[in-house]
Amino acid sequence: QVQVVESGGGLVQPGGSLRLSCDASGFTLGDYAIGWFRQAPGKEREGVSCSGAGDGSTYYADSVKGRFTVSRDNVQSMVYLQMNSLKAEDTAVYYCAANLMRRSCAAAQSMGGMIRHEYAYWGQGTQVTVSS
């Protein structure tokens, strides 16, 4: 049974840090690019970061570049999103998902972002609130 569980969200002050975790089971994490998405109230779900399978590729949306870092541990079937220098506009529910069409994140840059419909195995998300 495929299952993806996000954790690590919470309330943090502007400028603070959080580390999100994505725990994947029921499929071989190392075979898939894994993406992190977020959805703020009243807004569409947007891709913020991607970790490639095997080629070490990564992608970051311009809004988080230089502040967020994605990493993965295929042995433990875990993907992480380290978020530093958090801003109020980072407030959202964060999701991870597996890209069923691409193993690499390299295409995201050339295509202008992550393509949501390429991803599946969505978790329930974890809430991140950045507020003073």
Side-chain angles (χ1 to χ4, degrees):
Q1 179 182 357
V2 171
Q3 188 172 18
V4 172
V5 179
E6 304 92 342
S7 62
L11 173 63
V12 63
Q13 292 186 343
S17 299
L18 283 174
R19 187 194 194 204
L20 304 185
S21 298
C22 174
D23 188 350
S25 60
F27 65 99
T28 303
L29 185 76
D31 290 342
Y32 298 93
I34 300 296
W36 283 98
F37 291 75
R38 68 185 181 187
Q39 188 165 17
K43 295 188 177 181
E44 292 188 0
R45 193 170 298 188
E46 62 170 344
V48 296
S49 184
C50 174
S51 170
D55 66 350
S57 60
T58 58
Y59 166 83
Y60 298 96
D62 288 344
S63 58
V64 306
K65 200 171 295 182
R67 300 187 297 122
F68 289 13
T69 303
V70 66
S71 61
R72 63 195 291 156
D73 182 337
N74 289 334
V75 174
Q76 298 296 326
S77 290
M78 297 288 292
V79 180
Y80 305 98
L81 186 67
Q82 178 67 42
M83 307 187 297
N84 298 329
S85 302
L86 284 162
K87 306 175 181 179
E89 50 263 43
D90 294 318
T91 295
V93 179
Y94 283 71
Y95 303 86
C96 66
N99 191 321
L100 301 189
M101 298 180 63
R102 303 177 194 275
R103 289 173 52 86
S104 173
C105 300
Q109 198 67 49
S110 61
M111 293 190 300
M114 297 158 62
I115 308 301
R116 182 180 169 182
H117 69 72
E118 294 183 347
Y119 290 80
Y121 307 157
W122 296 91
Q124 293 299 307
T126 185
Q127 175 71 48
V128 171
T129 302
V130 184
S131 175
S132 55

